[in-house]
Amino acid sequence: MASIQSRIGKAGRKISYLVLSFHGKHRRLKTGSLKDAKLLKKGIESMDEARRIVKLGLTARDRHVDEFFQEYSGHVRLRAAPNTLKRYRAALNAFLASLRLFDQKISFLSQITPEIIEDFQQKRVESVELKAEADGEKSV
């Protein structure tokens, strides 16, 4: 969970850091001495996980589905051929239409599960409404 690392500073003294990880994010806390690092590590590990995550600012920031797809669409627009962009835009529109029609409660990326994607794929094959809305010229 937490590890202690050290390096030699500009003044030639040893500086210790406490390194914490959470879902791929790393937080490096400068502690000064090794003794301080060990005390901080002990204090942090004694906290319950929810409190520790909030205290260290390691909470996962959830993104809105529409915001993410807007950003992704811009990314694809700069790096893909026109036909690829058209195909990606159709798939994104179909997925957003599916969420609006069948899963109105989903608005954040963390709420999208593999089951929802499997369900979307099945509905895309069967649903005439979804096909009609996805084929419309709505930009993502």
Side-chain angles (χ1 to χ4, degrees), residues 11-126:
R13 292 188 307 169
K14 193 175 191 179
I15 300 170
S16 295
Y17 294 89
L18 186 64
V19 180
L20 303 137
S21 298
F22 176 72
H23 292 294
K25 293 183 180 181
H26 301 287
R27 184 72 179 240
R28 197 171 149 166
L29 304 172
K30 185 176 180 180
T31 59
S33 69
L34 182 60
K35 182 180 177 182
D36 292 338
K38 287 180 180 179
L39 285 173
L40 183 60
K41 181 178 178 182
K42 189 175 182 180
I44 287 174
E45 288 179 347
S46 68
M47 293 180 193
D48 62 85
E49 184 156 349
R51 186 169 164 233
R52 180 178 350 151
I53 289 168
V54 170
K55 182 109 174 137
L56 296 171
L58 295 172
T59 55
R61 292 182 178 92
D62 207 357
R63 296 183 65 188
H64 217 276
V65 172
D66 293 334
E67 173 189 312
F68 174 74
F69 283 155
Q70 284 285 341
E71 185 179 317
Y72 182 72
S73 179
H75 175 77
V76 169
R77 190 175 305 121
L78 295 173
R79 291 165 179 79
N83 285 336
T84 303
L85 177 61
K86 187 176 180 181
R87 193 172 54 248
Y88 281 14
R89 189 173 283 154
L92 293 176
N93 284 338
F95 186 70
L96 289 173
S98 171
L99 291 179
R100 280 193 297 274
L101 290 172
F102 305 110
D103 296 308
Q104 290 95 9
K105 64 186 180 298
I106 294 176
S107 56
F108 293 101
L109 286 177
S110 65
Q111 295 172 316
I112 298 174
T113 62
E115 292 80 22
I116 290 173
I117 294 172
E118 291 291 329
D119 189 41
F120 157 69
Q121 290 174 339
Q122 186 63 33
K123 287 176 183 170
R124 188 170 183 191
V125 170
E126 298 171 353

